[in-house]
Amino acid sequence: MADETIEALLLEQRKFPPSEAFKSRAHVVGTHLYDEAAQDYEAFWARQADELVSWSRPWGTVCEWNLPFSKWFVGGQLNVAYNCLDRHVEAGRGGKVAIHWEGEPGDTRTITYAELLAEVERFSNALKDLGVGRGDRVNIYLPMIPEAVVAMLSCARIGAAHSVVFGGFSSQALADRINDASAKVLITADGGWRRGEVFPLKPQADEALASTPSIEHVVVVKRGGNTVDMKSGRDHWYHDLMANASAKCPAEPMDSEQLLFLLYTSGTTGKPKGIMHTTGGYLTHVTYTHKYVFDLHADTDVYWCTADVGWVTGHSYIVYGPLSNGATQVIYEGVPNHPGNDRLWSIVEKYKVTIFYTAPTAIRTFMKWGTQEPAKHDLSSLRVIGSVGEPINPEAWMWYHEHIGRGNCPIVDTWWQTETGGIMISPLPGATTTKPGSATFPLPGVGAEVVDENGKVVTKGGGYLTLTHPWPGMLRGIWGDPERYKETYWSRFPGRYFAGDGAKLDDDGYLWLLGRVDDVMNVSGHRISTTEVESALVSHPSVAEAAVVGANDATTGQAIIAYVTLRGGAQVNESDLRNHVAKEIGAIAKPKTIYFTPDLPKTRSGKIMRRLLRDVAEGRNLGDTTTLADASVVTELQQRAAQSSED
Ligand code: WTA
């Protein structure tokens, strides 16, 4: 982020304390949770695990910490699906709505806790009938339909680990993830609805399945109605399996450290990492944060998180956190502008949503669409609104506050990562005075510090965000690659978890997140590595070399800018190359702009100068270019960039 932006952030003086009305019924007011956790964070987490989660066997040790490997609630046993379903039904809340589902075309489903449990029991048996058992991996590639939740909870119920792949990823990306995990079963759908049309999933899956030898069975949910090929013996319709499966599947106790899921995320190399999350600690972390960060009152609130289940936000704050807390929530299948730009606000009004959780990139898009869109609807049910995925700029924060929160909803700007499992830095809405653009403070139970280059703690000013002690939802490693786990997160600052984010502390000790400091881009809140896109580009037969940078973008946070050198004599146009990247990774990774250049700027030792390319892409003046092997390359690129911004 440019220095001017940092300065602007630090000049942000507006403060928003929680209102008396909000405080009067909030779970947390004042500092008691912070004080308790500061005394003994392990004892604090143990109390949360005890109060918020049901265990079939108590744990012996709260935390076993062999840096960088942690185990939580060791010796304890529990079942995640039991916690998300059975216990609510047993307590007499089976008739409570778990999910108000809204399909993009306007069809709806209302699913109670008792109904969701029944569906999960049946599907758990269906998976068992296909030979899935404890320790197996199951891939999930589905649209935002209730079956995605059913599939995840069914895996949890029988002790199989799920690996959900976002429906927007390409068949190649799906195949890579299936193969890395050696998954036995793939659960997909014919297609789903998006922007008024059916997008095919099964045909994509079929392409992937040509190179995934570990897959024995494929389960297909009927949603899009598009025609699909079903390979006999391997492919099964979900509804057929359900019709034949038996109804009862008691939840079996799982070890607290049993693998719950893998979720692949981009790192600084081309190969995505399978982030591992386990059972007891993860469930404790997401249940606790979902309850306190959103001030959830399960009896009266209607909660809505607009993420996709393909991302960690969907795992922790659509599936596990809300259901473990017995919340009623909305799940929406489609895009925010179908049929009109007010679709989300019409859903808030329709279901009287009280808690709304979305991403800054969405908020900036709503800003572009104009205030008349939310103004068409009664949003007075809202009482807490949240943000996740990237830094929220003060303008977007203020717009969210005024036009969605109508000036009286606390905003929780929540910082966390796929790796952290749950929210780490965030206000507590009844306890924290917020400042627009700041995620404020680490939650009770979380240790975070900013350090400088040398790992020295910074108490004011900028540096690198680190986490100082283990937490229950932390990743347990990278699937199949413990060395990469140590190297990526624990080697840069010994004894500390390095998040990869820059951060700054202001005079009042508020934390301001400043974006990634590594080669990971954040495009619309989605993590994509520069190397991944570069390898996709270079895999095109016409491309000799490629360099990719993330440039600041007013809507998407960052935009992908590629510089490409073609092989001698080769020709390819920009849109073909963009489509090639979509095919390799997925549409989210398509470069916004591709510049063709006879050469890339390199140091004399041959290293591509990304910083310089970022400066070019963002139209900044270049500093010293004397280390460049050939400075004329840059001059030419600059001229081209200036031209294209005039077009
Ligand atoms: C960024 C998403 C600033 C950050 C839950 C982090 C944020 C990466 C915020 C993780 C926030 C997430 N403010 N930046 N409130 N939340 N980030 O794994 O760079 O998809 O490292 O997890 O998103 O992205 P991931």
Side-chain angles (χ1 to χ4, degrees), residues 473-527:
M474 71 185 273
L475 75 166
R476 298 303 194 258
I478 295 174
W479 180 253
D481 203 346
E483 278 314 307
R484 189 174 177 196
Y485 168 65
K486 286 187 200 164
E487 169 63 31
T488 309
Y489 305 104
W490 301 93
S491 67
R492 173 89 190 257
F493 302 109
R496 293 169 182 271
Y497 172 90
F498 173 47
D501 280 352
K504 202 145 181 165
L505 279 165
D506 72 11
D507 290 347
D508 304 326
Y510 280 65
L511 269 166
W512 300 76
L513 277 308
L514 303 175
R516 304 287 308 184
V517 294
D518 52 17
D519 288 333
V520 177
M521 300 174 286
N522 191 328
V523 182
S524 299
H526 304 319
R527 277 164 69 171

Short mmCIF file of all heavy atoms in Angstrom, two decimals, residues 473-527:
data_model
loop_
_atom_site.label_atom_id
_atom_site.label_comp_id
_atom_site.label_asym_id
_atom_site.label_seq_id
_atom_site.Cartn_x
_atom_site.Cartn_y
_atom_site.Cartn_z
N GLY A 473 -8.23 -22.78 16.93
CA GLY A 473 -8.61 -23.00 15.54
C GLY A 473 -7.44 -22.97 14.58
O GLY A 473 -7.62 -23.01 13.37
N MET A 474 -6.21 -22.88 15.10
CA MET A 474 -5.06 -22.74 14.19
C MET A 474 -4.90 -23.96 13.28
O MET A 474 -5.27 -25.07 13.64
CB MET A 474 -3.77 -22.49 14.96
CG MET A 474 -3.25 -23.67 15.74
SD MET A 474 -1.81 -23.21 16.74
CE MET A 474 -0.48 -23.43 15.56
N LEU A 475 -4.37 -23.72 12.09
CA LEU A 475 -4.10 -24.83 11.19
C LEU A 475 -3.17 -25.81 11.88
O LEU A 475 -2.30 -25.42 12.65
CB LEU A 475 -3.51 -24.34 9.87
CG LEU A 475 -2.04 -23.88 9.84
CD1 LEU A 475 -1.57 -23.77 8.41
CD2 LEU A 475 -1.84 -22.57 10.56
N ARG A 476 -3.36 -27.08 11.57
CA ARG A 476 -2.48 -28.09 12.16
C ARG A 476 -1.32 -28.41 11.22
O ARG A 476 -0.44 -29.18 11.57
CB ARG A 476 -3.27 -29.36 12.47
CG ARG A 476 -4.39 -29.14 13.49
CD ARG A 476 -3.87 -28.56 14.81
NE ARG A 476 -4.86 -28.65 15.87
CZ ARG A 476 -5.63 -27.66 16.32
NH1 ARG A 476 -5.50 -26.45 15.79
NH2 ARG A 476 -6.49 -27.86 17.30
N GLY A 477 -1.35 -27.84 10.04
CA GLY A 477 -0.26 -28.07 9.11
C GLY A 477 -0.74 -27.94 7.68
O GLY A 477 -1.88 -27.54 7.43
N ILE A 478 0.17 -28.27 6.75
CA ILE A 478 -0.18 -28.32 5.33
C ILE A 478 -0.19 -29.79 4.94
O ILE A 478 0.78 -30.51 5.23
CB ILE A 478 0.86 -27.54 4.49
CG1 ILE A 478 0.81 -26.05 4.86
CG2 ILE A 478 0.60 -27.74 2.99
CD1 ILE A 478 1.88 -25.21 4.19
N TRP A 479 -1.26 -30.21 4.32
CA TRP A 479 -1.44 -31.62 3.97
C TRP A 479 -0.23 -32.12 3.19
O TRP A 479 0.11 -31.57 2.14
CB TRP A 479 -2.73 -31.77 3.16
CG TRP A 479 -3.04 -33.16 2.72
CD1 TRP A 479 -2.95 -33.66 1.45
CD2 TRP A 479 -3.53 -34.23 3.54
NE1 TRP A 479 -3.34 -34.96 1.44
CE2 TRP A 479 -3.70 -35.35 2.69
CE3 TRP A 479 -3.83 -34.37 4.90
CZ2 TRP A 479 -4.17 -36.58 3.16
CZ3 TRP A 479 -4.30 -35.58 5.37
CH2 TRP A 479 -4.46 -36.67 4.51
N GLY A 480 0.42 -33.14 3.75
CA GLY A 480 1.53 -33.78 3.05
C GLY A 480 2.82 -32.98 3.01
O GLY A 480 3.76 -33.37 2.32
N ASP A 481 2.89 -31.85 3.71
CA ASP A 481 4.09 -31.02 3.58
C ASP A 481 4.44 -30.25 4.86
O ASP A 481 4.38 -29.02 4.91
CB ASP A 481 3.89 -30.04 2.40
CG ASP A 481 5.21 -29.55 1.83
OD1 ASP A 481 6.26 -29.75 2.48
OD2 ASP A 481 5.19 -28.97 0.72
N PRO A 482 4.82 -31.00 5.92
CA PRO A 482 5.13 -30.33 7.19
C PRO A 482 6.27 -29.32 7.08
O PRO A 482 6.27 -28.30 7.78
CB PRO A 482 5.50 -31.48 8.14
CG PRO A 482 5.68 -32.69 7.29
CD PRO A 482 4.94 -32.46 6.01
N GLU A 483 7.20 -29.57 6.17
CA GLU A 483 8.32 -28.63 6.03
C GLU A 483 7.85 -27.28 5.52
O GLU A 483 8.29 -26.22 5.98
CB GLU A 483 9.38 -29.19 5.06
CG GLU A 483 10.33 -30.17 5.71
CD GLU A 483 10.87 -29.66 7.05
OE1 GLU A 483 11.41 -28.52 7.08
OE2 GLU A 483 10.75 -30.39 8.06
N ARG A 484 6.95 -27.32 4.54
CA ARG A 484 6.43 -26.07 3.98
C ARG A 484 5.66 -25.30 5.07
O ARG A 484 5.67 -24.07 5.10
CB ARG A 484 5.53 -26.36 2.78
CG ARG A 484 5.14 -25.11 2.02
CD ARG A 484 4.36 -25.43 0.76
NE ARG A 484 3.94 -24.19 0.10
CZ ARG A 484 3.00 -24.13 -0.83
NH1 ARG A 484 2.39 -25.23 -1.23
NH2 ARG A 484 2.67 -22.97 -1.38
N TYR A 485 4.99 -26.05 5.94
CA TYR A 485 4.25 -25.42 7.04
C TYR A 485 5.22 -24.63 7.93
O TYR A 485 5.00 -23.46 8.23
CB TYR A 485 3.52 -26.51 7.83
CG TYR A 485 2.97 -26.06 9.16
CD1 TYR A 485 1.96 -25.10 9.23
CD2 TYR A 485 3.45 -26.60 10.36
CE1 TYR A 485 1.45 -24.68 10.45
CE2 TYR A 485 2.94 -26.20 11.58
CZ TYR A 485 1.95 -25.23 11.62
OH TYR A 485 1.46 -24.81 12.83
N LYS A 486 6.30 -25.28 8.32
CA LYS A 486 7.29 -24.61 9.19
C LYS A 486 7.88 -23.40 8.49
O LYS A 486 7.99 -22.32 9.06
CB LYS A 486 8.43 -25.58 9.53
CG LYS A 486 8.05 -26.64 10.52
CD LYS A 486 9.31 -27.41 10.91
CE LYS A 486 8.93 -28.76 11.48
NZ LYS A 486 10.05 -29.71 11.53
N GLU A 487 8.27 -23.62 7.26
CA GLU A 487 8.97 -22.61 6.48
C GLU A 487 8.07 -21.39 6.24
O GLU A 487 8.49 -20.25 6.43
CB GLU A 487 9.39 -23.29 5.15
CG GLU A 487 9.91 -22.40 4.07
CD GLU A 487 11.19 -21.69 4.47
OE1 GLU A 487 11.95 -22.28 5.26
OE2 GLU A 487 11.39 -20.55 3.99
N THR A 488 6.81 -21.64 5.84
CA THR A 488 5.94 -20.53 5.46
C THR A 488 5.55 -19.66 6.65
O THR A 488 5.53 -18.45 6.55
CB THR A 488 4.64 -21.08 4.82
OG1 THR A 488 4.99 -21.99 3.80
CG2 THR A 488 3.79 -19.96 4.24
N TYR A 489 5.21 -20.30 7.75
CA TYR A 489 4.59 -19.53 8.83
C TYR A 489 5.48 -19.28 10.04
O TYR A 489 5.20 -18.40 10.83
CB TYR A 489 3.31 -20.23 9.31
CG TYR A 489 2.33 -20.50 8.19
CD1 TYR A 489 2.17 -21.77 7.66
CD2 TYR A 489 1.58 -19.45 7.66
CE1 TYR A 489 1.27 -22.01 6.63
CE2 TYR A 489 0.68 -19.68 6.62
CZ TYR A 489 0.53 -20.97 6.11
OH TYR A 489 -0.34 -21.20 5.09
N TRP A 490 6.51 -20.11 10.23
CA TRP A 490 7.21 -20.07 11.50
C TRP A 490 8.69 -19.78 11.40
O TRP A 490 9.40 -19.79 12.39
CB TRP A 490 7.01 -21.40 12.25
CG TRP A 490 5.56 -21.68 12.53
CD1 TRP A 490 4.71 -22.40 11.74
CD2 TRP A 490 4.78 -21.20 13.63
NE1 TRP A 490 3.46 -22.41 12.30
CE2 TRP A 490 3.47 -21.69 13.46
CE3 TRP A 490 5.07 -20.41 14.75
CZ2 TRP A 490 2.43 -21.41 14.35
CZ3 TRP A 490 4.04 -20.14 15.65
CH2 TRP A 490 2.75 -20.63 15.45
N SER A 491 9.19 -19.53 10.17
CA SER A 491 10.65 -19.37 10.06
C SER A 491 11.07 -17.90 10.02
O SER A 491 12.14 -17.55 10.48
CB SER A 491 11.16 -20.08 8.81
OG SER A 491 10.66 -19.43 7.67
N ARG A 492 10.18 -17.05 9.52
CA ARG A 492 10.60 -15.66 9.34
C ARG A 492 10.89 -14.97 10.68
O ARG A 492 11.87 -14.26 10.83
CB ARG A 492 9.49 -14.90 8.58
CG ARG A 492 9.68 -13.43 8.45
CD ARG A 492 10.47 -13.07 7.20
NE ARG A 492 10.85 -11.68 7.19
CZ ARG A 492 10.25 -10.76 6.45
NH1 ARG A 492 9.28 -11.08 5.64
NH2 ARG A 492 10.67 -9.51 6.50
N PHE A 493 10.02 -15.18 11.67
CA PHE A 493 10.21 -14.61 13.01
C PHE A 493 10.14 -15.76 14.02
O PHE A 493 9.05 -16.23 14.34
CB PHE A 493 9.14 -13.57 13.31
CG PHE A 493 9.11 -12.44 12.32
CD1 PHE A 493 8.06 -12.32 11.42
CD2 PHE A 493 10.15 -11.52 12.27
CE1 PHE A 493 8.04 -11.30 10.49
CE2 PHE A 493 10.13 -10.49 11.33
CZ PHE A 493 9.07 -10.38 10.44
N PRO A 494 11.27 -16.22 14.49
CA PRO A 494 11.30 -17.42 15.33
C PRO A 494 10.31 -17.34 16.50
O PRO A 494 10.22 -16.32 17.18
CB PRO A 494 12.74 -17.47 15.83
CG PRO A 494 13.52 -16.76 14.77
CD PRO A 494 12.60 -15.68 14.24
N GLY A 495 9.56 -18.42 16.68
CA GLY A 495 8.62 -18.49 17.80
C GLY A 495 7.29 -17.82 17.52
O GLY A 495 6.37 -17.89 18.34
N ARG A 496 7.18 -17.14 16.38
CA ARG A 496 5.94 -16.43 16.07
C ARG A 496 5.35 -16.95 14.77
O ARG A 496 6.07 -17.31 13.85
CB ARG A 496 6.22 -14.93 15.84
CG ARG A 496 6.66 -14.20 17.06
CD ARG A 496 7.17 -12.81 16.66
NE ARG A 496 7.64 -12.12 17.85
CZ ARG A 496 6.86 -11.38 18.62
NH1 ARG A 496 5.60 -11.18 18.30
NH2 ARG A 496 7.34 -10.82 19.71
N TYR A 497 4.01 -16.88 14.71
CA TYR A 497 3.31 -17.18 13.46
C TYR A 497 3.33 -15.91 12.61
O TYR A 497 2.87 -14.85 13.05
CB TYR A 497 1.86 -17.59 13.76
CG TYR A 497 1.00 -17.74 12.52
CD1 TYR A 497 0.92 -18.96 11.86
CD2 TYR A 497 0.27 -16.66 12.02
CE1 TYR A 497 0.12 -19.10 10.73
CE2 TYR A 497 -0.52 -16.79 10.89
CZ TYR A 497 -0.59 -18.01 10.25
OH TYR A 497 -1.37 -18.15 9.13
N PHE A 498 3.85 -16.02 11.39
CA PHE A 498 3.89 -14.87 10.49
C PHE A 498 2.73 -14.98 9.51
O PHE A 498 2.62 -15.93 8.75
CB PHE A 498 5.24 -14.87 9.75
CG PHE A 498 5.32 -13.82 8.68
CD1 PHE A 498 4.92 -12.51 8.92
CD2 PHE A 498 5.83 -14.15 7.43
CE1 PHE A 498 5.00 -11.55 7.92
CE2 PHE A 498 5.92 -13.18 6.43
CZ PHE A 498 5.50 -11.89 6.68
N ALA A 499 1.86 -13.97 9.57
CA ALA A 499 0.61 -14.03 8.82
C ALA A 499 0.77 -13.66 7.35
O ALA A 499 -0.07 -13.97 6.52
CB ALA A 499 -0.42 -13.10 9.47
N GLY A 500 1.86 -12.93 7.01
CA GLY A 500 2.02 -12.47 5.64
C GLY A 500 1.38 -11.12 5.38
O GLY A 500 1.34 -10.64 4.26
N ASP A 501 0.85 -10.49 6.45
CA ASP A 501 0.19 -9.19 6.31
C ASP A 501 1.01 -8.09 6.97
O ASP A 501 1.61 -8.30 8.02
CB ASP A 501 -1.18 -9.21 7.00
CG ASP A 501 -2.25 -9.88 6.14
OD1 ASP A 501 -1.96 -10.20 4.98
OD2 ASP A 501 -3.36 -10.08 6.64
N GLY A 502 0.99 -6.91 6.36
CA GLY A 502 1.54 -5.74 7.00
C GLY A 502 0.49 -5.13 7.92
O GLY A 502 -0.71 -5.28 7.69
N ALA A 503 0.93 -4.47 8.99
CA ALA A 503 -0.02 -3.86 9.92
C ALA A 503 0.63 -2.67 10.59
O ALA A 503 1.85 -2.54 10.62
CB ALA A 503 -0.46 -4.87 10.97
N LYS A 504 -0.22 -1.80 11.11
CA LYS A 504 0.29 -0.61 11.77
C LYS A 504 -0.49 -0.38 13.06
O LYS A 504 -1.70 -0.65 13.12
CB LYS A 504 0.10 0.58 10.83
CG LYS A 504 1.02 1.72 11.12
CD LYS A 504 1.44 2.43 9.84
CE LYS A 504 2.39 3.56 10.21
NZ LYS A 504 3.15 4.10 9.11
N LEU A 505 0.20 0.08 14.09
CA LEU A 505 -0.47 0.41 15.36
C LEU A 505 -0.51 1.92 15.49
O LEU A 505 0.52 2.58 15.34
CB LEU A 505 0.34 -0.17 16.52
CG LEU A 505 0.15 -1.65 16.83
CD1 LEU A 505 1.26 -2.15 17.74
CD2 LEU A 505 -1.22 -1.89 17.47
N ASP A 506 -1.69 2.46 15.80
CA ASP A 506 -1.76 3.92 15.94
C ASP A 506 -1.52 4.34 17.40
O ASP A 506 -1.22 3.51 18.25
CB ASP A 506 -3.07 4.46 15.36
CG ASP A 506 -4.30 4.13 16.21
OD1 ASP A 506 -4.13 3.66 17.35
OD2 ASP A 506 -5.43 4.35 15.72
N ASP A 507 -1.66 5.62 17.67
CA ASP A 507 -1.37 6.16 19.00
C ASP A 507 -2.22 5.51 20.09
O ASP A 507 -1.81 5.42 21.24
CB ASP A 507 -1.65 7.67 19.03
CG ASP A 507 -0.63 8.43 18.21
OD1 ASP A 507 0.39 7.81 17.86
OD2 ASP A 507 -0.87 9.62 17.93
N ASP A 508 -3.43 5.08 19.72
CA ASP A 508 -4.31 4.48 20.73
C ASP A 508 -4.18 2.96 20.78
O ASP A 508 -4.99 2.28 21.40
CB ASP A 508 -5.79 4.80 20.42
CG ASP A 508 -6.02 6.30 20.31
OD1 ASP A 508 -5.35 7.06 21.05
OD2 ASP A 508 -6.86 6.71 19.48
N GLY A 509 -3.20 2.43 20.04
CA GLY A 509 -3.00 0.97 20.05
C GLY A 509 -3.95 0.21 19.14
O GLY A 509 -4.04 -1.01 19.21
N TYR A 510 -4.67 0.93 18.26
CA TYR A 510 -5.55 0.25 17.30
C TYR A 510 -4.72 -0.35 16.17
O TYR A 510 -3.75 0.26 15.71
CB TYR A 510 -6.55 1.24 16.69
CG TYR A 510 -7.74 1.54 17.57
CD1 TYR A 510 -7.57 2.20 18.78
CD2 TYR A 510 -9.04 1.18 17.18
CE1 TYR A 510 -8.66 2.47 19.59
CE2 TYR A 510 -10.14 1.45 17.98
CZ TYR A 510 -9.95 2.10 19.19
OH TYR A 510 -11.02 2.37 19.98
N LEU A 511 -5.14 -1.54 15.72
CA LEU A 511 -4.45 -2.21 14.61
C LEU A 511 -5.11 -1.85 13.29
O LEU A 511 -6.33 -1.87 13.15
CB LEU A 511 -4.57 -3.72 14.78
CG LEU A 511 -3.46 -4.43 15.55
CD1 LEU A 511 -3.91 -5.83 15.92
CD2 LEU A 511 -2.18 -4.49 14.71
N TRP A 512 -4.27 -1.52 12.32
CA TRP A 512 -4.72 -1.24 10.95
C TRP A 512 -4.04 -2.24 10.04
O TRP A 512 -2.81 -2.28 9.96
CB TRP A 512 -4.33 0.19 10.55
CG TRP A 512 -4.93 1.22 11.44
CD1 TRP A 512 -4.53 1.56 12.71
CD2 TRP A 512 -6.07 2.05 11.16
NE1 TRP A 512 -5.34 2.54 13.22
CE2 TRP A 512 -6.30 2.86 12.29
CE3 TRP A 512 -6.92 2.18 10.05
CZ2 TRP A 512 -7.33 3.79 12.34
CZ3 TRP A 512 -7.95 3.10 10.11
CH2 TRP A 512 -8.15 3.90 11.25
N LEU A 513 -4.81 -3.07 9.35
CA LEU A 513 -4.24 -4.06 8.45
C LEU A 513 -3.94 -3.40 7.12
O LEU A 513 -4.77 -2.65 6.60
CB LEU A 513 -5.21 -5.22 8.23
CG LEU A 513 -5.24 -6.32 9.31
CD1 LEU A 513 -3.83 -6.82 9.57
CD2 LEU A 513 -5.89 -5.89 10.59
N LEU A 514 -2.77 -3.70 6.56
CA LEU A 514 -2.33 -2.97 5.37
C LEU A 514 -2.20 -3.85 4.14
O LEU A 514 -1.64 -3.44 3.13
CB LEU A 514 -0.98 -2.30 5.66
CG LEU A 514 -0.97 -1.34 6.86
CD1 LEU A 514 0.43 -0.84 7.12
CD2 LEU A 514 -1.93 -0.18 6.63
N GLY A 515 -2.67 -5.09 4.19
CA GLY A 515 -2.58 -5.95 3.00
C GLY A 515 -1.36 -6.85 3.06
O GLY A 515 -0.53 -6.76 3.95
N ARG A 516 -1.26 -7.71 2.04
CA ARG A 516 -0.21 -8.73 2.01
C ARG A 516 1.15 -8.10 1.76
O ARG A 516 1.28 -7.12 1.03
CB ARG A 516 -0.50 -9.73 0.88
CG ARG A 516 -1.84 -10.39 0.94
CD ARG A 516 -1.98 -11.41 2.02
NE ARG A 516 -0.92 -12.40 2.01
CZ ARG A 516 -0.90 -13.46 2.84
NH1 ARG A 516 -1.87 -13.64 3.72
NH2 ARG A 516 0.08 -14.31 2.79
N VAL A 517 2.14 -8.69 2.35
CA VAL A 517 3.50 -8.22 2.10
C VAL A 517 4.28 -9.22 1.26
O VAL A 517 5.45 -9.05 0.99
CB VAL A 517 4.27 -7.96 3.43
CG1 VAL A 517 3.63 -6.81 4.18
CG2 VAL A 517 4.31 -9.21 4.29
N ASP A 518 3.62 -10.31 0.85
CA ASP A 518 4.32 -11.31 0.04
C ASP A 518 3.76 -11.33 -1.39
O ASP A 518 3.09 -10.39 -1.80
CB ASP A 518 4.19 -12.70 0.69
CG ASP A 518 2.73 -13.05 1.00
OD1 ASP A 518 1.82 -12.39 0.43
OD2 ASP A 518 2.50 -13.97 1.79
N ASP A 519 4.00 -12.39 -2.12
CA ASP A 519 3.56 -12.44 -3.51
C ASP A 519 2.16 -13.01 -3.64
O ASP A 519 1.83 -13.66 -4.62
CB ASP A 519 4.55 -13.25 -4.35
CG ASP A 519 5.84 -12.49 -4.54
OD1 ASP A 519 5.79 -11.24 -4.49
OD2 ASP A 519 6.89 -13.13 -4.73
N VAL A 520 1.34 -12.78 -2.63
CA VAL A 520 -0.04 -13.22 -2.70
C VAL A 520 -0.89 -11.98 -2.98
O VAL A 520 -0.77 -10.98 -2.29
CB VAL A 520 -0.48 -13.90 -1.39
CG1 VAL A 520 -1.95 -14.29 -1.47
CG2 VAL A 520 0.38 -15.12 -1.12
N MET A 521 -1.73 -12.07 -4.00
CA MET A 521 -2.63 -10.95 -4.31
C MET A 521 -3.95 -11.18 -3.59
O MET A 521 -4.29 -12.30 -3.24
CB MET A 521 -2.87 -10.87 -5.81
CG MET A 521 -1.60 -10.66 -6.59
SD MET A 521 -1.88 -10.74 -8.37
CE MET A 521 -2.11 -12.49 -8.65
N ASN A 522 -4.69 -10.11 -3.38
CA ASN A 522 -6.01 -10.24 -2.79
C ASN A 522 -6.99 -9.54 -3.73
O ASN A 522 -7.10 -8.33 -3.76
CB ASN A 522 -6.02 -9.60 -1.40
CG ASN A 522 -7.29 -9.93 -0.65
OD1 ASN A 522 -8.35 -10.08 -1.25
ND2 ASN A 522 -7.20 -10.02 0.66
N VAL A 523 -7.65 -10.35 -4.53
CA VAL A 523 -8.55 -9.82 -5.56
C VAL A 523 -9.98 -10.10 -5.11
O VAL A 523 -10.35 -11.28 -4.98
CB VAL A 523 -8.28 -10.46 -6.94
CG1 VAL A 523 -9.18 -9.87 -8.01
CG2 VAL A 523 -6.81 -10.29 -7.32
N SER A 524 -10.74 -9.08 -4.86
CA SER A 524 -12.11 -9.24 -4.34
C SER A 524 -12.13 -10.16 -3.13
O SER A 524 -13.05 -10.95 -2.96
CB SER A 524 -13.03 -9.83 -5.41
OG SER A 524 -13.08 -8.98 -6.51
N GLY A 525 -11.12 -10.06 -2.29
CA GLY A 525 -11.08 -10.89 -1.10
C GLY A 525 -10.63 -12.31 -1.35
O GLY A 525 -10.62 -13.12 -0.44
N HIS A 526 -10.25 -12.64 -2.58
CA HIS A 526 -9.77 -13.99 -2.86
C HIS A 526 -8.26 -14.00 -3.01
O HIS A 526 -7.69 -13.16 -3.69
CB HIS A 526 -10.40 -14.54 -4.14
CG HIS A 526 -11.89 -14.52 -4.12
ND1 HIS A 526 -12.60 -14.87 -2.99
CD2 HIS A 526 -12.80 -14.17 -5.04
CE1 HIS A 526 -13.89 -14.75 -3.23
NE2 HIS A 526 -14.04 -14.31 -4.47
N ARG A 527 -7.66 -14.97 -2.36
CA ARG A 527 -6.20 -15.05 -2.40
C ARG A 527 -5.73 -15.78 -3.65
O ARG A 527 -6.12 -16.90 -3.90
CB ARG A 527 -5.72 -15.84 -1.19
CG ARG A 527 -5.62 -14.99 0.02
CD ARG A 527 -5.52 -15.85 1.24
NE ARG A 527 -4.25 -16.57 1.30
CZ ARG A 527 -3.88 -17.25 2.38
NH1 ARG A 527 -4.67 -17.33 3.43
NH2 ARG A 527 -2.72 -17.86 2.40
#
